[in-house]
Structures are given as structure tokens and as C-alpha cells.
Amino acid sequence: MKLCDCTIRDGGYYTNWEFNKDLIVNYMSTLNNISAIDIVELGYRSTLPDVGTYFNISEEFMAEAKATMPTKILAVMVDEKNTPSTSVKELLRICKPYIKLIRIAVNPEHFDRAVELAKAIKAEGFMVSFNLMYMSNWMKDTSFLLKLIQLEGLVNYIYLVDSYGGVTPEDVASTFMRFRKVLTIPLGFHGHNNLEMAFTNARMAIDYGADLIDCTITGMGRGAGNLKTELMLTYLKATNNLQFNLLALNTLINEFKVLQSQYKWGTSLPYMVCGAYSLPQTEVMDNTHLSDSEIIIKLENKFGI
């Protein structure tokens, strides 16, 4: 089972993909010394106008990351909705010396289009991860599950992504069993923490054969945030005798807590409502000028909950 830390990419939703350079240097140095973290996602490559430094990462940063974390699998994410397959060759050209894994954010409604994108990325020599979003909605429309067999021999990993932070451990168990019945491809899990079940769901995913688990420092990530890297590492230290420098990790955590005090990621009642009803995280993130009570009223009126 591999751990993928995706703090820069998922945490960028709060900072518009800008981070203090010293923080990033410390982040990379600390992760390099933790053997249990196998994959580090550095940010996005995108065809959209630049939002921030780590939204469309540069070759200079990739080279620095490779030099700082030589033993890690380095990854970037592309979003299927704004990455036509015809753009792949030019978009990923600068990645080839440094990046091994390209993770595709996939809306199941665009499954066929995402398959074509995966083919184009694979043809450029990269490993491919197919990150299927909106897991809590899959029970309502399972039609795309019949297409999963197309991914055999094409992608290296399939991720089950709890975009709304609304799945239960029972959902995780049943879905992993269903995928395992039809696929031999390694499976991953990416959980958000709206209902404070990211860790429990990740543990259930591991019990049912997950090959990869995503996590972020202090849980920094879109909306209510993610499984905390430090929680997963501490659990592995206690159960698997994982060895790493706790004080170095704590120093890094304290740096991210400064950001957390400013951007205030983490769950709240509005985020819990979004998780329970599978509502987009943006329903809260876009209304930070409102109080929690005002956001709840807005959710009730908009969605009739």
C-alpha cells in the first residue's frame, strides 16, 4: 500500500496555488525523509490561463522537486474537462525528465472522453491514474461502471474519489468489492473529511485491498479538507513500526497551521451538510463572506433540504 501526498495540488484551492517558497522547500525535504510516502503530487498542468505558480507547474520547479526528492514518484494532475487529448504532447513535454505519473481528474459523465485522454498520456510514456470523482453519487447512476473494463491494460491505477466527503465505510467496502470483481488494476482512495470519516474510510479501503491512499499535511484541501498525512503516518508508526522523524514532521505541520489559521480549512456544519447530501464543496467555499448560519439557510433554500 502506497501513500500519495497531494498537499500542494489539493491545498492550492485555498491559496490560489501560491505557497511561500521556504514552506515548499521544507515540505519537500521533510517528505523526502519519510519512506512511507511513495508519491508526491506537485500540482497541476493545465491548458487554462495560469491561476498560480503551482496550478501550472514549471519545468524549473519539477527539476527542483526531482533533485530534492530523488526517491519519490513525482506526479501532476490534469483535469479532463479542460484537457483535450490533442493538447497532451505539448502540455506534458516538459514533464518527461521529472514526472512519472499523470493523474487524471475524471467526471464519470465524461468517461469515454477521459479514456481518449488516458490513451494520449500513455502514448507519451507516462504512468496514468484514472481518478473517478463524485463517489457518493455512484449509487444513483452506476452505468459508467460497465465501462471500467476498458481501463484494463491502459491505466496503472484507478482512484475512488469521495469528492463530497459523503461516503460511509460501508460504501467504501461495497464499492471496492465491486471493482475488484471486474478489475485487476490497482485501486486507490481519495477521501474528503466533511463527515470526519476520511481516516475511517481510508482504513476500510486498506482492509478491502486499496493499493494507494491520498493524504495531505494538516488535511489541507478543497472544502473540508482531506485525510491528514500526519494521522496516517502516526497510525502506521504505531501499527507497522514505521520509522520517521516526528519532530521534523511537527515542524512542518506548524508551518501549515499558520496557513490554516488564515484560510480555515476543516469541517463545519455547512460542510457536513454538503457531505451528507453530496453537494459541491464550492457551496461553502464561495460563500465565506457569510456566517455558517447564513450558509445553512442558503443551502436549505437552494436544495430543499
Side-chain angles (χ1 to χ4, degrees):
M1 191 272 295
K2 293 180 171 61
L3 291 184
C4 172
D5 188 284
C6 49
T7 306
I8 301 175
R9 196 271 308 166
D10 215 336
Y13 283 97
Y14 274 101
T15 66
N16 288 323
W17 290 277
E18 293 291 354
F19 292 90
N20 177 276
K21 181 63 181 296
D22 290 339
L23 173 64
I24 293 298
V25 169
N26 187 30
Y27 165 82
M28 294 192 297
S29 298
T30 302
L31 264 57
N32 183 60
N33 292 321
I34 301 176
S35 61
I37 297 175
D38 303 273
I39 303 170
V40 180
E41 186 179 55
L42 300 177
Y44 278 104
R45 284 291 291 166
S46 178
T47 58
L48 298 178
D50 287 353
V51 175
T53 301
Y54 301 96
F55 184 76
N56 196 8
I57 60 173
S58 67
E59 183 173 10
E60 180 183 10
F61 174 57
M62 287 184 263
E64 181 183 7
K66 185 70 174 177
T68 307
M69 301 181 288
T71 64
K72 306 301 181 187
I73 296 172
L74 300 184
V76 297
M77 178 167 278
V78 298
D79 193 333
E80 181 279 329
K81 70 182 178 185
N82 53 48
T83 311
S85 57
T86 53
S87 71
V88 165
K89 186 179 288 290
E90 180 59 26
L91 183 67
L92 301 182
R93 176 182 54 80
I94 64 172
C95 299
K96 287 188 174 182
Y98 319 104
I99 303 300
K100 188 172 183 179
L101 174 65
I102 306 296
R103 288 160 39 110
I104 310 174
V106 178
N107 183 335
E109 292 181 359
H110 302 149
F111 189 94
D112 295 337
R113 199 168 66 190
V115 168
E116 294 307 309
L117 178 59
K119 289 178 180 177
I121 294 171
K122 192 80 168 182
E124 293 301 311
F126 296 99
M127 297 174 67
V128 179
S129 173
F130 211 78
N131 291 30
L132 284 163
M133 301 185 291
Y134 313 128
M135 184 180 174
S136 55
N137 282 341
W138 295 354
M139 308 302 174
K140 304 171 189 174
D141 181 8
T142 60
S143 58
F144 81 93
L145 296 176
L146 300 174
K147 300 180 179 181
L148 289 174
I149 195 66
Q150 298 178 42
L151 301 178
E152 285 284 358
L154 173 61
V155 305
N156 300 89
Y157 307 115
I158 298 176
Y159 261 90
L160 286 62
V161 180
D162 181 18
S163 306
Y164 301 135
V167 303
T168 66
E170 292 77 17
D171 294 332
V172 173
S174 63
T175 307
F176 265 81
M177 286 192 292
R178 186 167 187 173
F179 274 53
R180 284 292 185 206
K181 285 180 181 178
V182 297
L183 295 171
T184 63
I185 303 168
L187 300 178
F189 178 74
H190 178 103
H192 281 259
N193 206 33
N194 295 59
L195 299 181
E196 296 191 335
M197 288 196 286
F199 176 72
T200 303
N201 286 335
R203 280 288 294 110
M204 183 66 78
I206 293 168
D207 287 346
Y208 280 82
D211 300 280
L212 306 100
I213 298 292
D214 279 6
C215 50
T216 62
I217 299 295
T218 65
M220 186 182 190
R222 192 173 191 176
N226 305 77
L227 168 64
K228 295 179 176 67
T229 298
E230 59 269 27
L231 175 57
M232 198 68 207
L233 290 173
T234 303
Y235 172 78
L236 292 174
K237 182 176 179 64
T239 58
N240 290 53
N241 197 31
L242 174 66
Q243 298 300 310
F244 64 93
N245 189 326
L246 277 167
L247 291 179
L249 179 61
N250 192 58
T251 297
L252 180 63
I253 290 166
N254 286 337
E255 292 185 36
F256 274 90
K257 282 184 175 178
V258 174
L259 287 178
Q260 190 171 19
S261 67
Q262 177 182 356
Y263 294 103
K264 303 187 186 308
W265 62 83
T267 199
S268 63
L269 184 54
Y271 278 126
M272 293 173 192
V273 171
C274 286
Y277 288 90
S278 294
L279 305 178
Q281 308 273 17
T282 52
E283 293 294 337
V284 181
M285 291 187 74
D286 290 348
N287 289 290
T288 54
H289 59 288
L290 302 176
S291 69
D292 282 359
S293 295
E294 290 171 321
I295 295 172
I296 290 167
I297 292 170
K298 195 177 182 77
L299 292 173
E300 289 177 331
N301 291 336
K302 183 173 182 178
F303 297 101
I305 56 179

